[in-house]
Amino acid sequence: FSFGAILYEMLSGQRAFRGDTTADTITAILSKDPPDLTQTNRDIHPGLERIVRHCLEKNPEERVHSAHDLAFELEALSGISAPMAAAPAAARMNRSLVPILAGVLALAAIAAAFSIGRKSGHTTPPSFTKLTFRRGEITNARFAQDGKTVLYAASWEGRPIEIFSAQADKPESRPFGFPNADVLSMSSIGELAVSLDRHVYAPFVRTGTLAQIGLQSGGAPREILEDVEWADWSPDGKSLAVVREKSLRSRLEYPIGKTLYETAGWVSHPRVSPGGDLVAFADHAGRWDDGGTVAVVDRDGKKRTLSTNFSSLQGIAWGPSGKEIWFTASPIANRGLYAVSLSGNQRLVARVTGSLTIQDIARDGRMLVTQDSLRNGVLARGPGEDKERELSWLDFSVVWDISRDGKMIAFSESGEGGGPNYSVLIRGTDGSPAIRLGDGTAQGLSPDGKWVVALAPSGANFQVVLLPTHTGEPRPLPSGGLTPSRVSWFPDGKRLLVTASEPGHGSRLFIQDVDGGTPRALSPEGYRSDRRGVSPDGTRAWAIGPDRRAYVYPLAGGEPTAIAGIEPDDTPCEWGADGRSLYVYKRRELPAKVYLLDVATGKKTLWKELTPADAAGVGYLSPPSITPDGRGYVYNYTRVLSELYLVEGVK
């Protein structure tokens, strides 16, 4: 069949089976015949077209049975100069195809060897049934207890997230009755774990109040625990595994209150094993980067890493046998479906042209997967411009800073186009082409615009590196054994404020000279800052403490002071030019509101509302980077467009 598809494309210049999406293409393969070859190639020999049709029969019993038989048919055809009614061009085409067909016979031999190695009998190919048809992001999906109903949460056409129910034989989804809520887990006894007031906490991460809903008994949700990112029921439906953040460390608990694993990175997608003795999860080393490994931890807290490291890892479920963990991940960008055993044997199960996220697996092997189109975009307003300009470059542009004069941005490409180690780039706000500076993720432009500070991979860790924006050589700085996560320039351009963690500890603040020397600890454990965290006079920094409150931290030493007027959903962006105010970004809301906050009084004044013109699938806006005069700015938006499929027959 594969040989026939390749031969068809060689002869016609078009694929035999086409569709607007991967699922449409698969449907065409399973149910439709390709157009006649004569539509694109009138000179095709009828005998050759017959061979192609013979290869592409839907029923395997009606196809060519072996590479030997196929070779015989092609050899017989090569001896025919032309059909009686064919034009001379047809004869020339037949003769020119002979050496090509001889080479392609190797593919047929491979296919025959593969066929011989499989068990005899008819093999049903996997089927994909599309369950959703609207435009937006699907966050989570689970099979209901009856095995037929699917419960999923989605944000359609830019509206708030909501839970819906669907069935494979009905194309219309119905609201489940819980707006601004997400599906987390379905228990064996009909209890649904949901996240109420679900909102974006950080890139790739949402949080909310964990609650329980009885599908049989009905009624209002019973709230269990606040600030929960993920949850999964035990097999008996009596306890939950949860992920939440404590003191700036991501913590996996099972049952609630018993910590099995915690990390300065972050944990996602916990799934309790069918026996209830293990929890599988995605272990992400970089804070709010979705690269990572699949790991398991037992009830005694013994953790094992099972998979190789992937640049993107989202979606985990225990396989139908209960002996493998199935997950969706990618070495670069588009996630495929993988499986790994408890002994660490890893295999690729399926890969398509788009990015997959596994949502759930039923006991009979049916799966729920989403195909996700994920892009990160950049919007900016440069000097003298009266509207925002789209400055996205490749598939996942992550902007980090804008120059003081508003003419240049520093950003990263962390998708497939950025490569396995990501890329650091600069670009003019006038829309001029981007310039790649090196590997890593950008953190900020130096005050004079001559350097970009970045975090570049260094073995299993990251290293602070200075990349020149014009001439010069990269300057890696000593790490002192730390794992850095955020870096901010001092206004003198001679020092850096680094948020980093020591092995086995949470993050804290360090100061590092750009001329060398190891970082010097500034704060106790539990504090972190971000880009442009240092005040214009270089004496203070804003920081988030272990209690998640915002503080002004004196850089010469001393005790931090809590910032008045900061609400739980507020995130500091950077200092105002006067050094007495902070730009504050309010999470959860779209359009995103940005305020100027007076640090002394706590008074807030609305500065600007930010949102893309097309809000469908946009679930996250980054805090903006703003020029000192407040006229120029740049920010990120993340757009995810999802389609939910019921998949059967994957093994």
Side-chain angles (χ1 to χ4, degrees):
F1 189 93
S2 299
F3 174 80
I6 294 171
L7 186 54
Y8 182 99
E9 186 170 350
M10 288 172 61
L11 295 169
S12 67
Q14 298 178 5
R15 293 185 179 181
F17 306 99
R18 301 187 298 275
D20 294 334
T21 66
T22 302
D24 292 340
T25 301
I26 293 172
T27 300
I29 293 172
L30 297 176
S31 61
K32 297 180 181 180
D33 291 323
D36 291 339
L37 281 169
T38 53
Q39 292 183 11
T40 57
N41 188 347
R42 295 182 179 181
D43 296 329
I44 190 71
H45 192 289
L48 188 56
E49 182 174 25
R50 177 182 57 79
I51 292 175
V52 174
R53 292 289 177 185
H54 198 182
C55 292
L56 295 178
E57 288 286 352
K58 302 297 183 188
N59 186 349
E61 299 302 320
E62 296 178 5
R63 293 183 203 142
V64 180
H65 286 178
S66 70
H68 180 274
D69 292 344
L70 182 58
F72 180 83
E73 291 192 29
L74 288 170
E75 193 173 51
L77 180 64
S78 67
I80 303 174
S81 60
M84 291 197 325
R92 290 194 298 272
M93 175 172 289
N94 289 331
R95 288 192 292 270
S96 66
L97 278 173
V98 171
I100 299 176
L101 295 177
V104 177
L105 274 174
L107 295 175
I110 293 171
F114 178 76
S115 177
I116 292 170
R118 294 178 64 99
K119 294 181 179 180
S120 60
H122 178 69
T123 301
T124 303
S127 65
F128 289 73
T129 303
K130 191 174 180 180
L131 300 181
T132 57
F133 302 88
R134 297 173 67 181
R135 189 168 182 264
E137 179 185 6
I138 298 169
T139 55
N140 285 296
R142 298 290 185 269
F143 286 106
Q145 192 183 16
D146 62 8
K148 298 179 181 179
T149 305
V150 174
L151 299 174
Y152 70 89
S155 172
W156 296 130
E157 290 86 34
R159 297 187 180 93
I161 191 172
E162 185 175 359
I163 298 177
F164 297 86
S165 65
Q167 292 188 348
D169 58 347
K170 298 177 182 178
E172 185 67 27
S173 298
R174 295 187 176 183
F176 191 64
F178 293 98
N180 204 24
D182 199 353
V183 173
L184 295 182
S185 181
M186 185 74 219
S187 79
S188 59
I189 57 176
E191 296 291 324
L192 181 65
V194 300
S195 179
L196 305 178
D197 193 24
R198 189 73 159 170
H199 60 277
V200 173
Y201 171 66
F204 308 111
V205 180
R206 288 179 168 87
T207 189
T209 299
L210 175 64
Q212 178 179 344
I213 302 172
L215 295 188
Q216 304 296 330
S217 58
R222 182 178 71 84
E223 296 186 0
I224 300 173
L225 188 66
E226 294 182 342
D227 297 325
V228 172
E229 297 167 9
W230 305 90
D232 191 50
W233 285 106
S234 61
D236 59 9
K238 295 181 180 180
S239 59
L240 284 158
V242 301
V243 173
R244 52 179 173 160
E245 186 175 296
K246 288 288 184 179
S247 300
L248 299 182
R249 292 178 67 82
S250 185
R251 179 179 296 177
L252 172 60
E253 302 175 7
Y254 177 56
I256 294 174
K258 181 181 179 180
T259 301
L260 299 184
Y261 177 69
E262 65 176 9
T263 174
W266 61 291
V267 171
S268 69
H269 302 88
R271 301 302 291 265
V272 183
S273 66
D277 56 333
L278 297 171
V279 181
F281 62 95
D283 190 14
H284 307 278
R287 194 166 179 83
W288 315 143
D289 181 290
D290 71 335
T293 58
V294 175
V296 292
V297 62
D298 63 21
R299 285 180 172 268
D300 295 326
K302 183 180 179 182
K303 176 219 171 189
R304 288 180 290 154
T305 298
L306 301 180
S307 76
T308 56
N309 190 61
F310 291 90
S311 67
S312 176
L313 170 58
Q314 294 191 50
I316 287 179
W318 285 87
S321 67
K323 298 178 181 180
E324 285 185 316
I325 299 162
W326 289 31
F327 61 99
T328 37
S330 171
I332 299 179
N334 284 338
R335 294 187 295 270
L337 178 61
Y338 290 81
V340 65
S341 68
L342 294 178
S343 60
N345 292 324
Q346 182 177 297
R347 64 188 179 96
L348 174 65
V349 179
R351 179 181 287 142
V352 297
T353 55
S355 188
L356 296 178
T357 304
I358 188 168
Q359 299 288 345
D360 202 9
I361 299 180
R363 293 182 179 178
D364 60 6
R366 292 174 302 132
M367 292 192 306
L368 294 174
V369 301
T370 52
Q371 184 176 9
D372 306 301
S373 172
L374 175 63
R375 297 190 71 86
N376 224 54
V378 176
L379 289 171
R381 195 176 81 174
E385 296 185 340
D386 57 359
K387 62 180 181 179
E388 295 176 349
R389 181 192 297 269
E390 179 74 44
L391 290 181
S392 308
W393 186 241
L394 301 179
D395 55 334
F396 210 83
S397 304
V398 182
V399 71
W400 291 96
D401 205 358
I402 189 170
S403 61
R404 271 52 177 176
D405 60 8
K407 295 182 179 180
M408 181 170 62
I409 63 171
F411 67 103
S412 306
E413 283 293 341
S414 55
E416 186 171 6
N421 293 323
Y422 303 161
S423 297
V424 178
L425 305 98
I426 55 174
R427 189 180 189 187
T429 54
D430 59 358
S432 54
I435 300 172
R436 187 182 188 277
L437 304 182
D439 288 352
T441 58
Q443 295 291 297
L445 280 158
S446 61
D448 60 9
K450 294 181 178 180
W451 298 92
V452 173
V453 62
L455 296 179
S458 177
N461 205 343
F462 294 92
Q463 184 175 22
V464 178
V465 178
L466 302 181
L467 300 173
T469 57
H470 298 289
T471 57
E473 295 294 325
R475 292 166 51 189
L477 301 182
S479 66
L482 303 176
T483 299
S485 59
R486 289 290 185 269
V487 186
S488 180
W489 287 93
F490 274 70
D492 59 11
K494 298 179 180 179
R495 293 172 293 166
L496 300 168
L497 179 69
V498 182
T499 300
S501 60
E502 298 162 298
H505 295 275
S507 63
R508 59 173 171 162
L509 304 179
F510 295 82
I511 295 177
Q512 185 166 25
D513 295 331
V514 298
D515 291 333
T518 57
R520 306 183 302 277
L522 172 68
S523 74
E525 184 177 337
Y527 286 86
R528 62 179 171 87
S529 189
D530 213 318
R531 52 188 170 81
R532 294 214 184 168
V534 182
S535 63
D537 61 5
T539 63
R540 298 160 295 156
W542 67 261
I544 303 299
D547 55 0
R548 290 192 177 185
R549 296 180 65 189
Y551 291 87
V552 171
Y553 211 101
L555 297 178
E559 293 299 316
T561 303
I563 301 175
I566 294 265
E567 300 175 3
D569 292 334
D570 291 342
T571 299
C573 302
E574 59 187 67
W575 292 88
D578 58 6
R580 298 190 299 269
S581 59
L582 277 173
Y583 287 99
V584 175
Y585 160 87
K586 196 168 190 65
R587 297 192 304 267
R588 302 194 188 197
E589 299 179 355
L590 283 177
K593 294 182 174 65
V594 182
Y595 298 87
L596 261 177
L597 178 140
D598 188 299
V599 175
T601 65
K603 180 181 178 181
K604 288 194 294 188
T605 304
L606 181 64
W607 173 71
K608 194 173 290 294
E609 292 187 356
L610 305 174
T611 188
D614 178 10
V618 175
Y620 176 75
L621 296 183
S622 73
S625 180
I626 306 164
T627 59
D629 61 9
R631 297 180 180 179
Y633 59 87
V634 63
Y635 67 97
N636 268 122
Y637 66 89
T638 301
R639 188 190 308 278
V640 183
L641 299 178
S642 309
E643 295 175 326
L644 179 63
Y645 292 91
L646 173 67
V647 184
E648 300 179 82
V650 175
K651 296 180 181 180

